Amino acid sequence: MDISNALAAGVQGMQRASQQVTEASAELANPQQSNARWQQAQTESVNGSETASETLNSVPANTATDSLVSLAQGEQTFEANTRSVETADEVLGTLIDTKV
């Protein structure tokens, strides 16, 4: 793998993780909005292929617990991508030191 590709993949992963953390934080900060989105999705699923009994038995996807889990996942993903960028940086530094 090319070092520039490794750096780009790490940065892109960091950006996605940051977006995930931002979305999870927004859901935690404004639970009414998340609840409204869930109710809208439930209404759409009743009009779609799900039966009413399946809809009544389903659990809201955007609960506080799910948001907290998403927040933790985003943090861990960001840290993992940070390590990959640091590793690519070290490899690049070693290559530069070797050539000089």
Side-chain angles (χ1 to χ4, degrees):
M1 176 181 254
D2 189 15
I3 291 177
S4 62
N5 289 341
L7 284 169
V11 170
Q12 185 179 23
M14 290 169 68
Q15 290 170 339
R16 287 183 181 162
S18 178
Q19 181 180 5
Q20 181 179 1
V21 167
T22 301
E23 290 173 1
S25 299
E27 289 173 0
L28 285 169
N30 193 358
Q32 289 83 17
Q33 184 179 10
S34 297
N35 191 28
R37 273 189 257 142
W38 176 75
Q39 288 174 348
Q40 181 182 6
Q42 293 302 91
T43 303
E44 291 172 359
S45 66
V46 168
N47 295 334
S49 61
E50 269 189 307
T51 64
S53 62
E54 289 173 337
T55 301
L56 291 174
N57 293 329
S58 63
V59 178
N62 292 326
T63 63
T65 304
D66 291 339
S67 296
L68 287 170
V69 169
S70 181
L71 186 65
Q73 286 175 337
E75 180 183 3
Q76 291 176 351
T77 302
F78 191 89
E79 289 174 5
N81 282 292
T82 299
R83 282 186 237 120
S84 69
V85 169
E86 288 172 349
T87 302
D89 180 51
E90 289 174 13
V91 169
L92 183 60
T94 302
L95 289 173
I96 290 172
D97 290 343
T98 303
K99 285 201 169 200
V100 174

